[in-house]
Amino acid sequence: MASPKTSPILIALAWLAVTIPLGWGVYQSLVKALPLFRSVSAK
Amino acid sequence: MAFLRFLDRDRTVAGPGFNRWLLPPAALAVHLCIGEIYGFSVFNVPLTRVVGIDRSIVGQDWTIPQVGWIYSIALIMLGLSAAVLGRWVERVGPRKTMLASACCFCGGFLIASLGVALHQIWVIYLGYGVVGGIGLGLGYIAPVSTLVKWFPDRPGMATGLAIMGFGGGALIGAPFGVELMAYFKSASSVGLKEAFQVMACVYFGFMTFGAFLVRVPASGWKPEGFEPDSRPKRMVTQAHFSVTVASKTPQFWLLWAVLCLNVTAGIGILGQASLMCQNMFGVSPAVGGGFAGLLSLANMGGRFFWSSASDLTGRKVIYAFYFLLGAVLYALVPLTQKVQSVPLFVLITALIISMYGGGFATIPAYLRDLFGTAQVGAIHGRLITAWSMAAVLGPQAVNYISTYQIDHGVSKSAAYNSTMYLMAVLLLAGFVCNLFVRPVAERHQHLHI
């Protein structure tokens, strides 16, 4: 008996589960890096 | 125990309809959690104020050097457990290993929480350091070796994805820890104990999700439409070497040196990015912190980008590129200080750190090319001892050199120049080691597994 194909929804949900926290972490780092960009653009 | 049979390797073999793109999220779920170790420094100051709460009380509170050992022990245990337990990992499969990793890593947090409650530093060494460190080692190698087997057509991209997660773990873990401590902080607590407990629960849930998602490919499986190159590549073996055989070859030790030198050189900047930026350019601590944040992003992005690029260029070529360009860029850093150009400094260091991350992420694919996939996890585990050693000794060396310079009259802004030249020399040594890497010799062929 052939095993069922993996649902694309399951794949999308699995990716979402890891990209949401990762995206939050990237956003936090960008916020932290803002003073650097401001300092560079002010020079 | 019969009810744990579902964790066995043979119960995790994927059926024909299984989509391999479920594997990267499974690997990322584990690596994004254990990568928290890179953000552990956010706990350093609170750990020195467990008694005093708003300030550290001399004689009662722990000191920074005492607290610093937690991170070092965890990294040493990461290397040792990966080296010693690598064969077990290959035998029992990724699901059992990832669950064991979750139990150790999160159990380590809970024991550390107890250590904070009792104010016993050795309990934290044992918890986060030893038990948590074992979780780090197990969780690091299992997803990587599984991904390599699922992506024979793009091994660099596969390992890059997983190891990018480890770099990204700090981006999540550090602010997450800070938010939790702020939430639980009170007049009688720095909020550490509770933060550790919440992190243990959240990370356990996330890592278990990865463990249940993971599968191993059936024997002989290959991606649809993928035909192995009919013209054998010189640097890619068709054989599979055991960890015992591999670790006796000069190739293994050359790659050990390559990883060790790459890590030591990268840590030269990463370890004290914020302070270095402040001392070299006189910027504020907030700007220095922003610089450190930017380097973390470059480190994470480089892991995926450069490792994926290695699928096109070949592993040996890309390492030669990392080392040569890295050495040139390191040698240019003092110039940026001389001309006081912050943008140039940021650009150069971000590029260096992206290649440092790339060096980390490309190593498992390099091992796969030289030794095959059968025991690549165990071989990778032994190689990781190079990282442990460099991560512990590297920052000490950099600190020592810059402190020595300042003590001998060199200005703070110029004190890092010698370190940068030393890092360039280390990268050149890495270039030479990489140059000597050849396909595994014929005399090892009879020892195939």
Side-chain angles (χ1 to χ4, degrees):
Chain A
M1 192 177 72
S3 63
K5 281 204 163 199
T6 310
S7 159
I9 296 172
L10 179 66
I11 298 171
L13 286 176
W15 275 96
L16 266 182
V18 291
T19 46
I20 288 173
L22 183 59
W24 179 77
V26 170
Y27 170 75
Q28 295 288 330
S29 294
L30 284 173
V31 168
K32 194 179 163 194
L34 269 181
L36 174 71
F37 293 121
R38 287 200 188 114
S39 131
V40 168
S41 59
K43 291 214 168 190
Chain B
M1 282 182 283
F3 71 96
L4 291 178
R5 281 271 298 138
F6 72 96
L7 296 174
D8 290 349
R9 173 182 272 277
D10 55 359
R11 295 286 185 96
T12 56
V13 177
F18 185 81
N19 190 316
R20 62 177 173 161
W21 287 98
L22 265 183
L23 264 297
L28 281 167
V30 172
H31 272 234
L32 285 172
C33 293
I34 60 174
E36 182 276 339
I37 177 75
Y38 274 160
F40 189 78
S41 59
V42 298
F43 299 118
N44 284 352
V45 172
L47 278 165
T48 63
R49 294 176 179 180
V50 173
V51 178
I53 313 293
D54 290 324
R55 63 192 174 88
S56 185
I57 300 177
V58 179
Q60 289 187 44
D61 265 313
W62 299 320
T63 61
I64 285 285
Q66 277 180 306
V67 167
W69 274 105
I70 303 169
Y71 175 81
S72 300
I73 293 171
L75 274 188
I76 292 166
M77 288 309 296
L78 185 159
L80 287 179
S81 60
V84 173
L85 297 172
R87 290 174 86 150
W88 178 79
V89 170
E90 293 293 353
R91 188 161 49 84
V92 303
R95 183 176 290 168
K96 193 178 270 184
T97 308
M98 284 154 77
L99 200 63
S101 163
C103 291
C104 290
F105 184 63
C106 303
F109 263 117
L110 291 179
I111 299 171
S113 159
L114 184 70
V116 174
L118 300 173
H119 201 246
Q120 294 288 335
I121 190 83
W122 68 268
V123 178
I124 303 184
Y125 290 159
L126 176 72
Y128 193 92
V130 177
V131 180
I134 294 171
L136 291 177
L138 293 175
Y140 192 86
I141 55 174
V144 174
S145 76
T146 310
L147 274 178
V148 164
K149 288 163 190 157
W150 274 108
F151 288 87
D153 46 344
R154 279 175 279 186
M157 181 214 70
T159 59
L161 259 175
I163 295 176
M164 175 190 79
F166 198 85
L171 305 188
I172 301 168
F176 185 39
V178 170
E179 296 277 344
L180 285 174
M181 284 189 293
Y183 182 78
F184 288 113
K185 193 174 183 331
S186 67
S188 59
S189 166
V190 284
L192 256 177
K193 186 181 68 177
E194 299 84 351
F196 282 171
Q197 288 165 358
V198 173
M199 290 178 99
C201 295
V202 172
Y203 282 148
F204 188 79
F206 215 61
M207 291 171 82
T208 309
F209 160 74
F212 282 93
L213 212 57
V214 80
R215 298 283 188 285
V216 291
S219 178
W221 174 89
K222 57 181 183 181
E224 221 174 283
F226 169 69
E227 284 303 326
D229 206 335
S230 54
R231 298 158 299 162
K233 290 179 183 156
R234 205 173 83 86
M235 290 298 290
V236 181
T237 183
Q238 299 301 315
H240 298 284
F241 295 84
S242 74
V243 61
T244 316
V245 173
S247 55
K248 286 177 185 157
T249 61
Q251 286 84 351
F252 175 86
W253 291 104
L254 284 168
L255 288 193
W256 194 96
V258 160
L259 184 63
C260 189
L261 291 163
N262 178 61
V263 174
T264 309
I267 281 173
I269 283 188
L270 261 186
Q272 32 186 317
S274 176
L275 194 65
M276 187 187 296
C277 192
Q278 291 172 55
N279 286 341
M280 287 175 78
F281 297 96
V283 296
S284 68
V287 174
F291 173 63
L294 193 75
L295 288 194
S296 300
L297 287 173
N299 182 15
M300 189 186 81
R303 287 168 189 239
F304 180 66
F305 176 78
W306 292 114
S307 190
S308 301
S310 76
D311 286 336
L312 302 173
T313 62
R315 259 49 88 173
K316 191 170 175 173
V317 170
I318 205 141
Y319 270 96
F321 181 76
Y322 297 155
F323 285 130
L324 265 189
L325 184 60
V328 171
L329 292 174
Y330 259 123
L332 286 174
V333 171
L335 185 75
T336 65
Q337 189 267 327
K338 218 174 195 173
V339 298
Q340 282 294 298
S341 172
V342 178
L344 195 60
F345 172 73
V346 171
L347 188 73
I348 286 177
T349 48
L351 196 52
I352 290 173
I353 292 304
S354 79
M355 291 193 292
Y356 155 81
F360 249 119
T362 317
I363 270 287
Y366 209 162
L367 289 172
R368 173 257 186 203
D369 287 356
L370 290 172
F371 302 112
T373 55
Q375 290 202 349
V376 71
I379 300 167
H380 187 208
R382 290 207 182 168
L383 200 83
I384 284 172
T385 50
W387 168 23
S388 290
M389 201 176 98
V392 174
L393 297 181
Q396 302 285 349
V398 172
N399 278 340
Y400 176 80
I401 294 168
S402 52
T403 309
Y404 180 88
Q405 296 260 307
I406 292 167
D407 289 348
H408 285 75
V410 178
S411 69
K412 266 189 177 179
S413 59
Y416 295 95
N417 292 355
S418 312
T419 313
M420 295 302 129
Y421 293 130
L422 174 68
M423 296 301 141
V425 171
L426 289 180
L427 288 181
L428 287 177
F431 176 78
V432 174
C433 291
N434 181 55
L435 212 59
F436 281 111
V437 176
R438 299 269 188 272
V440 180
E442 290 285 318
R443 63 194 153 87
H444 295 296
Q445 297 282 318
H446 68 285
L447 291 168
H448 289 177
I449 55 170

